[in-house]
Amino acid sequence: MSMGKNRELMGANTQPVSVVGSGARTVVRLDPKVRGKVAASLASASETQFPDHVYLNLENVRGVRDAHVLSVYINLPEGGRPGDHPELLAGSVALFGLRRASRKDGEHAGQGLSFTLDITDIVDALHLGKQLNADSLHVTIVPNRAVPEQAEITIGRVSVYRQGQ
Amino acid sequence: MPADSSELTRVSKLVFAASGFAWLLMLGPTGLSMTHCPMQESGALAPVDALQMFLAMNSLGPLCVGWAVMLAAMMLPLLTTPIAHVRYSSFRHRRNRATALLLLGYCGIWMLAGAVLLPLAAVAGMSVPGSSWWIAALAALAITVVWQASPARQICINRAHNHRALAAFGFAADLDAFRFGLEHGFWCAGSCWGLMLLPMLLPSGHVAAMIVAAVLMFCERLEPAAPPAWRFHGIAPLRRILLTRMRRWLHRPVPMRPPPPPFAPEMRP
């Protein structure tokens, strides 16, 4: 997905994420100043003044097995069932081409695949529920079926970007 | 994570402007020049003697400055994508710092490479009589051509294309940007040392040779990573880009592949 101009990093996690078994969970730490810009744009949104767009990126997704689909949830409660919270679903990404993109001497030079999900609506809901003041977002990755360890699926970085209007 | 196109464009303009300025400096007194022993004109020197002569006749400061200017002129255009990647992956208030750390790591590796290549060029040049300079140049050309086409070099290019995820906060972010510069510099030096060495072996026409080498290196980076194999890289990517831009500028349609024929199911009798 192309995100246009005036984009800046809003937050990122600190360690690569390994997706094994029933999924993975990571914390995306947010920069307070940039988070404040997003909150301000949401508060002042009107028909003529559009709020910021917010995107979640899964960067450098690598692995040796293609046949998985990862669903990404924002702030899913610990122990909560993903199916009970469709409003927290950021999107799903299919890992077709993952193995080939992860080869160091392939066309992607081993960088793997990167995905961008629009989470503006979720962030807006958090803002309306006064939950955007938190320092971080909890991101839960849920595969469509259990991921074996041999699949070696890792996500280099989970980051959040804002795009000003 | 691929940087967005607007950041890439911004970085490209700055990088090419800086490279252009460095090329102007190359033509001036800060350009790289190495003093040779006049006695070498009449006969070759043994490598050890040649190295001693080189170190005695060339002081470190001007050599470093000349090498740095040459690096800036020739290598900066190759750093467009890595710089854009680092800037895009960093918070806005850290972008310049991350860029500086990337360049520090990258230049550090290349300065070390210069510490090897400059004496090597001097020794190779002084190991033959002045009138037979072409022997050293031809030998270096042969080695460079073989290296340019080799699978090992393709591996270096592939690794240089790998832009991994970078930490975003604190010291980890600084360290990652610096390490990225070191890694990129290492693989870049591994793939480009031959083209950097060759112009220094010519008795004249250094700048023209450097321009040719710089264009070749830039064109190679435009190509995606590829399986290691014996192959020659040329200026085909640059030619494709220039032709496509020229067609767009002249408002002509870019030739597309013809659509596949419509599917016609077999008619049963």
Side-chain angles (χ1 to χ4, degrees):
Chain A
M1 178 191 294
S2 171
M3 298 201 310
K5 292 183 182 178
N6 201 14
R7 288 174 259 175
E8 67 173 302
L9 181 66
M10 186 171 152
N13 67 340
T14 53
Q15 296 287 339
V17 180
S18 184
V19 182
V20 179
S22 60
R25 201 172 156 89
T26 187
V27 176
V28 173
R29 196 174 133 203
L30 301 177
D31 181 82
K33 279 189 188 164
V34 186
R35 187 195 65 216
K37 284 187 199 175
V38 171
S41 80
L42 289 169
S44 61
S46 65
E47 279 185 9
T48 52
Q49 194 173 340
F50 300 121
D52 290 350
H53 272 85
V54 183
Y55 299 94
L56 180 93
N57 288 339
L58 304 178
E59 301 176 25
N60 299 112
V61 182
R62 292 191 186 89
V64 298
R65 299 257 179 107
D66 290 8
H68 291 282
V69 175
L70 303 180
S71 296
V72 183
Y73 289 83
I74 307 293
N75 281 7
L76 187 69
E78 187 93 40
R81 287 175 50 180
D84 294 341
H85 298 279
E87 75 285 0
L88 300 178
L89 174 66
S92 299
V93 297
L95 301 183
F96 292 127
L98 184 72
R99 187 178 58 86
R100 201 164 165 176
S102 304
R103 282 185 356 217
K104 284 191 175 171
D105 293 318
E107 268 194 18
H108 289 243
Q111 295 180 92
L113 301 174
S114 292
F115 303 96
T116 301
L117 301 169
D118 190 338
I119 60 169
T120 308
D121 290 344
I122 297 176
V123 169
D124 190 30
L126 290 173
H127 167 72
L128 291 172
K130 298 198 190 322
Q131 293 171 11
L132 195 55
N133 296 334
D135 290 338
S136 57
L137 293 177
H138 293 262
V139 176
T140 308
I141 316 281
V142 181
N144 60 329
R145 53 196 177 87
V147 178
E149 208 168 310
Q150 302 91 306
E152 298 175 10
I153 296 178
T154 56
I155 303 172
R157 188 173 89 161
V158 181
S159 57
V160 175
Y161 280 76
R162 74 168 267 271
Q163 182 188 343
Q165 300 301 319
Chain B
M1 179 72 194
D4 66 299
S5 56
S6 59
E7 183 70 26
L8 207 54
T9 307
R10 250 193 314 272
V11 169
S12 294
K13 287 178 183 170
L14 283 168
V15 156
F16 277 90
S19 173
F21 179 67
W23 278 111
L24 290 175
L25 287 179
M26 287 264 284
L27 299 171
T30 50
L32 181 67
S33 66
M34 296 190 289
T35 310
H36 299 289
C37 173
M39 292 194 59
Q40 185 246 332
E41 294 294 323
S42 55
L45 295 173
V48 174
D49 295 332
L51 183 61
Q52 284 175 344
M53 195 63 66
F54 168 74
L55 293 172
M57 299 193 72
N58 294 279
S59 56
L60 191 61
L63 272 182
C64 287
V65 169
W67 179 249
V69 171
M70 185 172 151
L71 276 183
M74 296 178 72
M75 308 308 290
L76 269 180
L78 277 66
L79 287 175
T80 306
T81 312
I83 291 174
H85 170 67
V86 158
R87 293 182 69 82
Y88 186 65
S89 299
S90 304
F91 289 111
R92 189 164 274 175
H93 62 275
R94 296 183 68 94
R95 282 177 184 173
N96 292 339
R97 182 170 160 156
T99 307
L101 286 165
L102 165 79
L103 291 174
L104 189 66
Y106 183 82
C107 292
I109 293 291
W110 267 108
M111 294 308 280
L112 287 175
V116 173
L117 291 174
L118 286 172
L120 186 62
V123 167
M126 287 194 264
S127 297
V128 293
S131 56
S132 304
W133 61 267
W134 56 271
I135 297 174
L138 203 58
L141 179 65
I143 293 170
T144 301
V145 165
V146 170
W147 174 249
Q148 286 293 110
S150 67
R153 183 168 181 267
Q154 183 64 56
I155 290 174
C156 292
I157 294 175
N158 291 347
R159 301 294 176 270
H161 275 298
N162 187 347
H163 299 155
R164 56 185 181 80
L166 304 172
F169 291 94
F171 179 69
D174 292 338
L175 192 61
D176 261 5
F178 180 65
R179 266 172 41 186
F180 180 54
L182 287 176
E183 287 164 6
H184 195 76
F186 179 78
W187 295 115
C188 192
S191 64
C192 299
W193 65 267
L195 287 175
M196 293 292 278
L197 177 65
L198 208 47
M200 293 191 283
L201 291 170
L202 302 175
S204 61
H206 300 105
V207 175
M210 284 174 190
I211 289 173
V212 170
V215 169
L216 274 174
M217 289 189 290
F218 180 71
C219 288
E220 283 168 356
R221 289 304 165 86
L222 293 176
E223 290 183 349
W230 287 96
R231 73 164 66 83
F232 277 106
H233 302 266
I235 61 168
L238 185 61
R239 197 178 62 218
R240 274 197 303 270
I241 290 170
L242 290 176
L243 281 175
T244 305
R245 291 208 170 173
M246 209 162 59
R247 282 196 178 100
R248 282 188 185 147
W249 184 65
L250 294 171
H251 302 294
R252 282 181 195 167
V254 176
M256 306 284 285
R257 263 194 276 178
F263 173 67
E266 284 181 14
M267 300 296 293
R268 289 182 181 272

